[in-house]
Amino acid sequence: NAGVTQTPKFRVLKTGQSMTLLCAQDMNHEYMYWYRQDPGMGLRLIHYSVGEGTTAKGEVPDGYNVSRLKKQNFLLGLESAAPSQTSVYFCASSDTRGKETQYFGPGTRLLVL
Amino acid sequence: GENVEQHPSTLSVQEGDSAVIKCTYSDSASNYFPWYKQELGKRPQLIIDIRSNVGEKKDQRIAVTLNKTAKHFSLHITETQPEDSAVYFCAAPSGGSYIPTFGRGTSLIVHP
């Protein structure tokens, strides 16, 4: 039981490049989330999903897209990376109402030059 | 949406002292209040949570108290140890949803 995993762990991009971050969970959770963490800013929600095939915008969605084609996977895409997207990205998953504990992945450190 | 404010942003204590971190929220319908601990370079992990039908919950050296009238909840750590040094985050969901809003975090430093 691996919990929540993320790939890659670290990536360096040049401005304008694109990339996809992959999140996978093996706990059969319905809900999945993408956060970014910047110093002094806490965890800010980018996008989330309440089930396979559904996605919704969070607090800071601009410049990102997501897809959840399979229940266990949640992908975060950056179409044209900008230096402002330099951050640590965390994926999380949670079960249904009444079991709201979020389980986080190990994080992806992204540097955009 | 929910607005969560967390104080202080940094807390420095001596080993053995108590530490208290406070969060306020805006949505009176919120009903679930977790606390997460994030050690340096690691992922956040739940350490304790409380639901709106109770006022206090304890787990060994940590406790959480909730004041629904004043819309604030606090994390209490007693007999602090160096391994308690970490960033602590509170969170609260908007009353009608399960999507949490996180506080900005408190960096707790426990000096040996």
Side-chain angles (χ1 to χ4, degrees):
Chain A
N1 193 338
V4 181
T5 58
Q6 292 181 232
T7 53
K9 293 182 180 179
F10 176 68
R11 184 77 183 268
V12 179
L13 288 180
K14 294 181 179 179
T15 297
Q17 288 184 319
S18 64
M19 78 164 294
T20 299
L21 282 67
L22 171 63
C23 176
Q25 54 97 2
D26 61 3
M27 296 175 283
N28 201 36
H29 284 169
E30 290 293 333
Y31 310 146
M32 296 187 75
Y33 316 79
W34 275 107
Y35 295 93
R36 60 177 291 172
Q37 184 174 37
D38 303 292
M41 298 299 291
L43 293 157
R44 292 185 293 170
L45 184 64
I46 305 171
H47 287 280
Y48 64 96
S49 168
V50 303
E52 181 178 321
T54 72
T55 63
K57 294 181 180 179
E59 178 186 356
V60 288
D62 293 343
Y64 305 95
N65 58 76
V66 289
S67 64
R68 188 148 179 224
L69 299 180
K70 294 183 179 181
K71 186 177 183 178
Q72 63 268 34
N73 296 336
F74 196 28
L75 278 64
L76 178 70
L78 286 73
E79 292 186 348
S80 179
S84 61
Q85 293 178 305
T86 293
S87 188
V88 179
Y89 292 86
F90 285 100
C91 175
S93 70
S94 66
D95 211 333
T96 54
R97 191 179 296 274
K99 301 177 184 178
E100 294 95 333
T101 301
Q102 296 214 337
Y103 295 85
F104 287 84
T108 294
R109 187 173 297 274
L110 177 65
L111 175 62
V112 183
L113 302 175
Chain B
E2 181 71 275
N3 182 35
V4 177
E5 294 192 0
Q6 183 173 347
H7 298 281
S9 57
T10 305
L11 181 58
S12 182
V13 301
Q14 289 295 128
E15 183 177 359
D17 288 349
S18 295
V20 181
I21 303 169
K22 182 177 177 179
C23 284
T24 60
Y25 61 97
S26 59
D27 189 340
S28 57
S30 294
N31 58 10
Y32 174 70
F33 307 94
W35 285 92
Y36 291 84
K37 175 183 180 182
Q38 185 180 27
E39 297 177 352
L40 188 63
K42 301 289 183 63
R43 71 190 79 186
Q45 291 188 297
L46 180 79
I47 55 171
I48 195 167
D49 56 14
I50 192 168
R51 295 194 182 275
S52 57
N53 56 346
V54 298
E56 183 176 4
K57 183 177 179 180
K58 289 184 179 180
D59 183 3
Q60 298 183 336
R61 294 187 298 108
I62 61 173
V64 55
T65 58
L66 171 65
N67 184 326
K68 286 212 70 180
T69 303
K71 289 190 282 188
H72 67 72
F73 57 110
S74 299
L75 176 70
H76 304 255
I77 305 174
T78 59
E79 301 173 24
T80 53
Q81 301 169 2
E83 52 264 39
D84 294 329
S85 296
V87 178
Y88 293 81
F89 293 98
C90 65
S94 293
S97 80
Y98 44 81
I99 307 299
T101 298
F102 283 84
R104 292 195 172 191
T106 296
S107 177
L108 174 64
I109 304 166
V110 181
H111 299 280

